[in-house]
Amino acid sequence: FIIRTNCDNEPGMPKTGSYKAAEFIDVGLSHADIQILDTNGGLPRRTDVAKLLQVCPGLGLLKEGGGVVVHCKGGFGRSVV
């Protein structure tokens, strides 16, 4: 399961936007976009973490053998979720 936390229009993103989620879905991976604002590489707010935690159980991701990848554009603040 892949969770993308960046926003398409944030500074540093390619003009074409981020990747297309369908590229992962087409090969059998689940994908969700939970946009979290990154302010100066800081940690996500508690409400942002709560959003992520709400998504995982509903998709059966907390069972044995399941995995979740959380990422953003820079790999700093939001990726620590």
Side-chain angles (χ1 to χ4, degrees):
F1 187 70
I2 300 168
I3 300 173
R4 173 174 39 196
T5 60
N6 57 280
C7 306
D8 278 340
N9 61 350
E10 68 184 60
M13 289 300 294
K15 293 191 185 320
T16 57
S18 190
Y19 61 82
K20 306 292 184 236
E23 295 173 3
F24 293 98
I25 295 168
D26 290 347
V27 296
L29 295 171
S30 300
H31 186 280
D33 284 307
I34 300 177
Q35 296 179 337
I36 298 174
L37 295 177
D38 187 9
T39 15
N40 300 320
L43 296 174
R45 299 173 305 201
R46 288 177 188 253
T47 55
D48 296 329
V49 175
K51 280 191 257 181
L52 290 167
L53 293 175
Q54 287 173 1
V55 168
C56 292
L59 297 170
L61 298 175
L62 300 181
K63 60 186 174 190
E64 185 176 339
V68 178
V69 174
V70 179
H71 79 91
C72 67
K73 162 182 75 75
F76 297 105
R78 295 168 286 198
S79 292
V80 300
V81 176

